């Protein structure tokens, strides 16, 4: 690839863009069964992640039994860290490949990696094999995020992109509820019991992945990506097929709106060009995106990965009943993006991102105060967290939305993976470790202080977004960020 492509600093004049027609044709489509099929086939990535995280958390104590894998507590924790490490590595590896090789190749490959690794986990004979499978499972999930979010944004009409993206990201908690339910049923001695039940849970996750892989084969490559890589004829054929399917259901399509010409994206940018965009040309966007991703990752991981410890240590909830408390928590997390998502398209990104972040922080601080004062029992604590994360789930989902739509198309998947990796690496590792120490202290005040740290982080990020976030609502992606 030339070091200075047309339109880049030092290059010639940018050629006219072949994508305005593609953009207008995609954005004018009425919502249809085809869109539902795309959203379900691709959005399942978040459900699978929620399933994995919750299932492992629910069977953690089972894996310590001598008749299962006889793991120690440190080994269970290490397997969780390896899953997160794999997700970070997968995002970085597959994010770059999704920009270079295409969205479809990668969202098929990453799902296959996830499914194979999850199935192998069901047959793990000991810690070494189990840990390796957890890393590979994370590798597939991390790659899913980059390939999926970029593909969805490029296929969904601009007028509903915010609500669709938020709803998909919030579906993590459908997977969490599914994982908790599977653990309760499969570990029951009257069903399979602990020895075989944990293996069946992972096998069922692989079966779900295989079913979704069959559906994903019918999802087309992104016409925007094809046009950016000089394959406009192929993009046109795919668009013709999409329009024919939508018109067969919804009737004659409205004419595409007139679109302004843009400089044409060309190929995959070099790492130097990506760095120039992130650190210089769009530096303010990068700072906002980083603040949103790191703060929400710390906020979420601080609560979710220590949820069971708080319930058992401070409220005396039996270990076998902890999974029941996941359901109200998951309900708040699912409903938040669903009910608040439309406001991100109507009231606007900047206002809603700032509002949900600030209110999430204030709600967590209030919950921490109630926790210290002993105003809540276990059920009240679960309901309070459910209310907090009704807001926080929409806020966290908007961080992924922001990263996926404010950077150029040619580097969109890589940008998603970079910010996901940094956010997950910072919050995913630091928060559980810190809160584990605070909970081990046995002090409610210490735990509440940790909640205060999380609250301050998200409030600061929300205020930053209120001032500097991009008003991207209802705008074509090409208008939000021009080519590299």
């Amino acid at each position: 690839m030339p070091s200075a492509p047309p339109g880049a600093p030092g290059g010639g004049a940018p050629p006219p863009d072949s994508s305005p027609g593609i953009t207008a044709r995609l954005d004018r489509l009425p919502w249809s069964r085809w869109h539902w099929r795309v959203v379900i086939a691709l959005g399942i990535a978040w459900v699978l992640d929620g399933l994995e995280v919750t299932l492992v958390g629910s069977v953690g104590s089972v894996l310590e039994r001598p008749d299962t894998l006889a793991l120690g507590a440190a080994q269970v924790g290490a397997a969780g860290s390896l899953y997160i490490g794999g997700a970070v590595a997968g995002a970085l590896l597959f994010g770059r490949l999704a920009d270079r090789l295409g969205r479809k190749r990668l969202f098929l490959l990453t799902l296959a990696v996830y499914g194979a690794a999850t199935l192998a986990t069901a047959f793990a004979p000991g810690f070494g094999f189990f840990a390796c499978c957890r890393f590979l499972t994370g590798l597939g999930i991390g790659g899913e995020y980059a390939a999926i979010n970029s593909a969805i944004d490029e296929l969904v009409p601009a007028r509903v992109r915010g609500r669709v993206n938020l709803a998909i990201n919030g579906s993590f908690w459908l997977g969490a509820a599914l994982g908790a339910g599977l653990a309760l049923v499969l570990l029951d001695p009257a069903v399979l019991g602990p020895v075989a039940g944990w293996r069946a849970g992972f096998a069922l996750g692989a079966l779900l992945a295989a079913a979704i892989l069959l559906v994903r084969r019918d999802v087309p490559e992104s016409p925007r990506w094809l046009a950016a890589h000089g394959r406009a004829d192929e993009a046109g054929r795919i668009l013709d097929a999409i329009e024919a399917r939508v018109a067969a259901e919804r009737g004659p399509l409205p004419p595409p709106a007139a679109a302004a010409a843009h400089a044409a994206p060309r190929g995959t940018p070099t790492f130097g060009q990506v760095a120039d965009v992130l650190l210089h040309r769009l530096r303010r966007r990068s700072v906002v995106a980083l603040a949103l991703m790191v703060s929400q990752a710390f906020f979420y991981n601080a609560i979710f990965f220590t949820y069971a410890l708080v319930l058992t240590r401070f409220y005396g909830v039996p270990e076998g009943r902890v999974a029941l408390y996941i359901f109200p928590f998951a309900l708040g997390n699912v409903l938040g993006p669903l009910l608040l998502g439309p406001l991100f398209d109507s009231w606007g990104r900047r206002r809603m991102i700032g509002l949900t972040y600030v209110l999430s922080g204030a709600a967590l601080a209030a919950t921490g105060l109630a926790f210290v004062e002993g105003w809540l029992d276990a059920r009240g604590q679960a309901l309070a967290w459910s209310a907090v994360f009704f807001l926080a789930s929409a806020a966290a989902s908007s961080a992924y939305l922001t990263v996926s739509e404010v950077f150029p198309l040619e580097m969109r998947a890589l940008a998603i993976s970079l910010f996901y990796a940094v956010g997950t690496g910072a919050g995913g590792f630091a928060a559980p470790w810190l809160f584990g120490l605070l909970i081990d202290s046995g002090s409610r005040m210490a735990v509440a202080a940790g909640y205060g740290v999380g609250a301050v982080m998200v409030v600061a990020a929300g205020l930053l977004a209120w001032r500097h976030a991009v008003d991207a609502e209802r705008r074509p992606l090409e208008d939000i960020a021009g080519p590299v």
Side-chain angles (χ1 to χ4, degrees):
M1 180 177 178
S3 58
D17 187 6
S18 61
S19 66
I22 291 174
T23 299
R25 289 170 67 185
L26 283 169
D27 284 347
R28 60 80 188 257
L29 292 177
W31 194 261
S32 65
R33 285 193 296 269
W34 180 83
H35 291 99
W36 277 116
R37 188 179 183 88
V38 168
V39 165
I40 293 171
L42 300 183
I44 198 70
W46 290 88
V47 176
L48 294 176
D49 190 18
L51 171 67
E52 284 293 320
V53 171
T54 310
L55 186 60
V56 170
S58 299
V59 304
S61 59
V62 170
L63 299 179
E64 297 180 31
R65 294 168 50 124
D67 55 353
T68 57
L69 296 184
L71 303 184
Q75 290 176 316
V76 174
S81 295
L82 283 171
Y83 176 80
I84 293 174
V88 170
L92 294 174
L93 171 64
F94 292 120
R96 177 65 172 175
L97 291 176
D99 284 332
R100 181 178 293 275
L101 302 179
R103 315 309 191 204
K104 181 167 185 174
R105 289 184 185 179
L106 269 295
F107 64 61
L108 293 176
L109 175 61
T110 53
L111 185 60
V113 170
Y114 164 82
T118 300
L119 182 61
T121 304
F123 297 95
F127 172 69
F129 191 89
F130 180 80
C132 180
C133 290
R134 297 311 299 152
F135 177 83
L136 293 175
T137 303
L139 197 75
I141 286 293
E144 284 275 283
Y145 285 149
I148 295 309
N149 279 14
S150 53
I152 288 173
D153 278 357
E154 292 164 16
L155 293 171
V156 169
R159 66 184 180 277
V160 295
R161 189 172 60 238
R163 70 191 71 186
V164 169
N165 200 300
L166 261 69
I168 289 172
N169 290 334
S171 67
F172 173 98
W173 297 99
L174 293 176
L178 178 60
L182 277 176
L184 285 172
V185 173
L186 297 177
L187 299 180
D188 189 330
V191 183
L192 290 178
V195 176
W198 74 270
R199 296 185 186 275
F202 287 108
L204 288 174
L207 183 63
L208 176 61
I212 295 299
L213 191 62
L214 297 176
V215 178
R216 275 193 187 176
R217 292 187 306 172
D218 293 333
V219 176
E221 180 57 87
S222 163
R224 284 179 161 109
W225 183 88
L226 290 169
H229 288 75
R231 297 161 62 179
D233 290 343
E234 186 176 351
R237 289 193 296 273
I238 289 176
L239 262 174
D240 290 342
I242 293 171
E243 289 173 334
R245 294 182 65 172
V246 175
E249 175 191 348
R250 300 298 302 271
L253 302 178
H262 308 99
R266 284 291 178 263
T268 307
T270 66
F271 284 111
Q273 291 170 322
V274 170
D276 180 67
V277 170
L278 295 178
L279 301 179
H280 297 287
R281 186 178 128 200
L282 299 179
R283 180 172 59 246
R284 181 176 298 178
R285 296 184 183 188
S286 297
V287 171
V288 171
L290 185 63
L292 295 178
M293 291 296 286
V294 171
S295 62
Q296 66 84 23
F298 185 93
F299 190 96
Y300 254 96
N301 287 297
I303 305 300
F304 188 57
F305 281 96
T306 56
Y307 190 91
L309 290 176
V310 169
L311 291 174
T312 55
R313 299 279 184 91
F314 293 100
Y315 293 106
V317 175
E319 291 183 359
R321 295 184 60 82
V322 166
L324 292 173
Y325 291 82
I326 291 291
F327 293 109
F329 188 69
L331 181 63
N333 277 280
V334 171
L335 290 179
L338 284 177
L339 298 181
L340 299 179
L343 298 178
F344 283 79
D345 288 320
S346 57
W347 285 8
R349 303 284 198 267
R350 183 174 53 81
R351 294 182 183 88
M352 285 303 299
I353 293 171
L355 189 63
T356 52
Y357 266 76
V358 170
L359 291 180
S360 297
L364 182 61
T367 300
L369 175 62
F371 176 71
V372 168
E373 297 296 332
W375 296 338
L376 303 171
D377 58 10
R379 183 178 300 175
Q381 183 70 62
L383 292 176
W385 275 331
S386 181
V388 169
F389 284 92
F390 174 86
L391 296 165
S393 183
S397 297
S398 72
Y400 288 91
L401 170 63
T402 298
V403 171
S404 69
E405 67 181 359
V406 301
F407 296 107
L409 183 148
E410 312 99 297
M411 54 173 280
R412 179 167 294 123
L414 180 59
I416 294 169
S417 65
L418 286 172
F419 287 101
Y420 169 79
V422 173
T424 301
F429 283 105
W433 171 77
L434 172 62
F435 272 76
L437 293 177
L438 296 176
I439 291 170
D440 277 340
S441 73
S443 167
R444 285 180 177 246
M445 182 62 73
V447 176
Y451 291 157
V453 172
V456 169
M457 289 179 66
V458 295
V459 168
L463 294 175
L464 182 67
W466 186 280
R467 178 70 178 82
H468 295 295
V470 178
D471 293 313
E473 61 274 6
R474 302 183 303 279
R475 293 171 59 189
L477 293 170
E478 292 77 6
D479 285 350
I480 300 169
V484 173

